Amino acid sequence: MAMLLRAEDAKDWIYKGEGAANIVLSYRGSSLFLLGKVLRIQKVPKGSTKSVNGCAVLSRHEKLLWGDVEELVESKSKDIAQQNYIKHVMSHMLGPKYIDEGTYVTVSREFLESVEKNVHDQRPAWRINAAEVDTSCDSAFLISDHSVFTGTPRGDFCVAVEIKPKCGFLPSSEFITKANAIKKSVTRFRMHQFLKLHQGEISNISEYNPLDLFSGSKDRIYQAITTLFATPQNNFRIFLNGSLIFGGLGGGMDSAAVRSHEENTAIKDLIKVSGLQLPGFLELVAEAIFSSGVLDKLLATQKLDVLDIEGAIHAYYNIISQPCMVCKNLGDPELLDQYSLLHSFPLDKSLKILRDYLIAATAKDCSLMISFRPVQGGSAASGYNSIFLESSNQNFEYKAYFIDLDMKPLEKMVHYYELDQKIVIFYMKSKDLGGSLCDSITQEN
């Protein structure tokens, strides 16, 4: 599109949060086109070389991997590639109803430099130390702010939740080694909590179980929501009229926008504005997830990962035409024989395994945003879905969108494998010690 954001426009964009790859900004200016929008600007690890002539797009092997998606392969920047990945891959998987394809805008280096300076004090310290704005990029990704309803009348309110559902099934791949069989009975989320606690990324282990959220049972979904609320980490956030009032900004050690007394005040304000007590609000969220069935296609997309990373990593080495480092380090003839089957696959089959794995990885790491507003005078007439909450005798309309549908880099396959092994090994070590290791860590924190 023709829009160009310059240095003088930076003052109209305020910090909303960030993830590993992007900083998210919310618009607070006067442009009618930009009202109700958020801008995702790319980051680059501290100390790394910034891209030249715009952001790097797809590697040679990624072009081979996504060769059937012409628009994606021909993308001229990472933001255009992101838009095409959402439009031509994830939208087909999750359904266009729940997808915001977004658009891209041109940005000047001066705009990005000004933004970086303006948001510095709002960013969590560990995020600042890890990455900075990639000022060499010439575009940014623009989408609607799904924490609000566009055109909400003055005096009304909008409350939204952002949930990271995580992986909603237990793997059953035959390529999971016997030593890692625990993966078939304990969720990845649960195991990863122990490693995160050890590494100081969180201060308490969450009791959230993704299997509850994806269960299709209203009671189990409600249980999942209450445990997310009890220990939100970066998996559960609440917004009131677009402003974060509860949950993390994406920082370490459960870093949040507001804490303890301030959070309690914010929740009280939410109750005052909405007329909902906290259990009623959590019930509203659970009811929306249950009645909409919004997670059904997400779970089906996650289950494209049939072989688990322990199988998919072998297809990766097939594609890059390098000796498999996993097999090289194995001393088990039975496992080597089993993995030799994967290495005998033709190229097209290896490509499909990798495509499916990376699409599933996007689905396991995305967020679900659900926004609510009260319906005045009975039923909704706006085209949105509606819920009648018996406990408060109120009608609400809601909308649901998946966000953070980033394409996962093929080059990170080795990292995914190594992290998986690290998570399982540490969990087993903690389990063997009867949990005493993690108990001592909790006491230290």
Side-chain angles (χ1 to χ4, degrees), residues 167-181:
C167 183
F169 72 99
L170 294 172
S172 58
S173 170
E174 62 183 302
F175 298 105
I176 295 174
T177 64
K178 292 178 182 177
N180 294 339

Side-chain angles (χ1 to χ4, degrees), residues 294-305:
V294 65
L295 294 181
D296 294 348
K297 285 190 174 182
L298 184 66
L299 182 59
T301 304
Q302 292 181 355
K303 288 184 175 181
L304 288 175
D305 175 17

Side-chain angles (χ1 to χ4, degrees), residues 198-258:
H198 173 67
Q199 294 175 332
E201 294 183 27
I202 58 175
S203 56
N204 293 287
I205 288 179
S206 172
E207 295 303 317
Y208 168 62
N209 185 346
L211 304 185
D212 288 335
L213 191 70
F214 285 89
S215 66
S217 160
K218 189 184 297 188
D219 290 341
R220 289 183 65 186
I221 293 171
Y222 179 77
Q223 172 66 17
I225 299 301
T226 57
T227 51
L228 282 168
F229 179 81
T231 313
Q233 298 174 1
N234 69 332
N235 304 308
F236 188 80
R237 305 200 294 169
I238 302 175
F239 298 84
L240 182 59
N241 295 328
S243 297
L244 179 66
I245 64 168
F246 181 85
L249 283 169
M253 285 300 291
D254 307 325
S255 170
V258 282

Side-chain angles (χ1 to χ4, degrees), residues 122-187:
Q122 283 77 52
R123 297 182 64 199
W126 81 279
R127 289 290 194 191
I128 294 174
N129 294 333
E132 58 192 347
V133 172
D134 190 345
T135 54
S136 63
C137 289
D138 57 9
S139 63
F141 193 56
L142 186 72
I143 61 172
S144 295
D145 184 349
H146 294 296
S147 67
V148 296
F149 281 85
T150 303
T152 298
R154 187 178 298 276
D156 279 358
F157 74 91
C158 171
V159 59
V161 293
E162 180 183 340
I163 299 169
K164 274 190 173 295
K166 310 307 285 188
C167 183
F169 72 99
L170 294 172
S172 58
S173 170
E174 62 183 302
F175 298 105
I176 295 174
T177 64
K178 292 178 182 177
N180 294 339
I182 190 72
K183 290 163 63 171
K184 297 181 179 182
S185 58
V186 179
T187 66

Side-chain angles (χ1 to χ4, degrees), residues 11 61 65 67 71 74 86 109-110 132 155 167 192 226 233 267 284 296 306 317 355 367 394:
K11 67 181 185 303
H61 293 115
L65 184 70
E71 296 85 353
E74 295 179 353
I86 293 173
R109 173 182 288 270
E110 293 75 21
E132 58 192 347
C167 183
H192 202 177
T226 57
Q233 298 174 1
I267 295 299
L284 179 66
D296 294 348
V306 175
Y317 282 108
R355 276 195 302 270
S367 293
Q394 288 176 282

